[in-house]
Amino acid sequence: MKNARIHELFTSIQGEGPWIGQRHIFVRFLGCDIRCRYCDTPAAVQRGDEVANMKSCGVQIAARSKKREQTSNPVSPRALTAFCSRLIVPGPSRPVISLTGGEPLLQASFLEEWLPTVRSAFTIYLETNGIHPEAMERIRDLVDVVSVDFKLPSATGLRPFWEEHRAFLSATRGKKLFVKVVVTKDTKEDEVLASAGIIAAFDPSTTLVIQPAGEPLAPDSTDLIAFQDAALGLIEDVRVIPQAHKMLNVP
């Protein structure tokens, strides 16, 4: 089986989206093909040789310990399963693995092989930038929840990805999902409307989460209300949810 390039692995409180507050086991994959100006995990978004040169990753040693140990990269499927298993909180709840990054779908070949071995024991929650529909097709039946991050040009400083996002939603059809947009002080209402329009054409009951960026990019509160009002004209469920893990000072 293939091995994975991992930046870190830990358990914490999910701080974003409708599943906010749940305990998740976060597997943060190395590598990303875009650079968002609001990115809060810059150490995980290397490319090419930078990813290959990351020879180790930090792994939390137990669910009730803050200590981490260094293990070598790339990580084998067996080792990754063992690392996740030791972070399960004992009790009746079903553990959740959050695949995050970086961009997990850049390692879709690994996920195709690894996820079938852990699905019986874990709920699989995918966090993705939503621009790799072909990779999503490959692992669609191996994940339970998909968090799709629409990339607004004003927030990322990059070109629009509307066509990629539209194709990506089609690739998730039948899965439990929500769409998130990070908004900044520079975000315009027409970008939020464009996002809501894509969602409306796909499934107007899909939840849209408007997530305000932190300082120094934070939007005005009146803009957040205006963005929500605009999106609610097209889709059913629009929520403004900040990053709770930063407020709680947890990883």
Side-chain angles (χ1 to χ4, degrees), residues 185-251:
K185 61 185 179 182
D186 301 315
T187 297
K188 305 302 181 186
E189 189 173 301
D190 61 350
E191 294 176 297
V192 178
L193 282 172
S195 300
I198 293 171
I199 295 168
F202 170 71
D203 179 354
S205 68
T206 301
T207 297
L208 172 63
V209 172
I210 297 173
Q211 179 176 294
E215 295 295 348
L217 297 174
D220 188 271
S221 59
T222 57
D223 289 333
L224 293 175
I225 296 294
F227 295 155
Q228 188 179 45
D229 286 349
L232 282 170
L234 297 176
I235 56 179
E236 300 171 14
D237 185 12
V238 183
R239 312 181 193 185
V240 178
I241 304 177
Q243 290 180 297
H245 57 290
K246 293 188 176 181
M247 298 178 181
L248 299 172
N249 195 30
V250 297

Side-chain angles (χ1 to χ4, degrees), residues 112-135:
E112 278 185 297
E113 295 185 353
W114 179 61
L115 290 179
T117 70
V118 295
R119 283 207 76 204
S120 63
F122 297 89
T123 295
I124 307 300
Y125 179 108
L126 171 67
E127 301 185 60
T128 173
N129 60 26
I131 63 174
H132 298 286
E134 298 85 0

Side-chain angles (χ1 to χ4, degrees), residues 8-212:
E8 60 180 346
L9 194 152
F10 60 97
T11 181
S12 188
I13 298 167
Q14 174 60 253
E16 300 180 354
W19 278 264
I20 192 170
Q22 281 189 340
R23 175 65 74 88
H24 284 194
I25 297 166
F26 293 88
V27 180
R28 188 177 303 285
F29 287 80
L30 271 170
C32 190
D33 48 345
I34 58 176
R35 294 288 188 275
C36 300
R37 62 182 183 139
Y38 60 79
C39 181
D40 57 3
T41 56
V45 299
Q46 292 95 346
R47 297 177 182 174
D49 290 343
E50 294 175 328
V51 172
N53 290 333
M54 294 289 289
K55 302 300 184 183
S56 66
C57 64
V59 178
Q60 189 173 340
I61 64 171
R64 294 195 172 100
S65 174
K66 294 182 179 180
K67 293 182 180 179
R68 298 190 184 191
E69 64 181 6
Q70 293 295 308
T71 190
S72 59
N73 256 322
V75 179
S76 72
R78 179 178 293 183
L80 188 56
T81 300
F83 293 147
C84 291
S85 297
R86 73 186 189 185
L87 297 182
I88 295 174
V89 176
S93 65
R94 181 173 172 83
V96 181
I97 292 177
S98 177
L99 309 173
T100 186
E103 174 50 53
L105 289 181
L106 294 180
Q107 300 189 52
S109 295
F110 170 82
L111 294 174
E112 278 185 297
E113 295 185 353
W114 179 61
L115 290 179
T117 70
V118 295
R119 283 207 76 204
S120 63
F122 297 89
T123 295
I124 307 300
Y125 179 108
L126 171 67
E127 301 185 60
T128 173
N129 60 26
I131 63 174
H132 298 286
E134 298 85 0
M136 186 67 232
E137 289 273 8
R138 290 165 60 187
I139 70 161
R140 176 175 56 197
D141 295 335
L142 303 176
V143 301
D144 300 294
V145 181
V146 186
S147 167
V148 187
D149 195 351
F150 276 17
K151 301 297 185 180
L152 306 187
S154 63
T156 63
L158 305 170
R159 69 169 180 85
F161 292 98
W162 304 128
E163 292 308 313
E164 290 92 338
H165 293 327
R166 185 174 287 108
F168 191 90
L169 287 187
S170 294
T172 67
R173 192 169 295 279
K175 305 307 298 186
K176 186 181 295 185
L177 78 148
F178 68 94
V179 175
K180 180 184 73 180
V181 291
V182 175
V183 296
T184 73
K185 61 185 179 182
D186 301 315
T187 297
K188 305 302 181 186
E189 189 173 301
D190 61 350
E191 294 176 297
V192 178
L193 282 172
S195 300
I198 293 171
I199 295 168
F202 170 71
D203 179 354
S205 68
T206 301
T207 297
L208 172 63
V209 172
I210 297 173
Q211 179 176 294

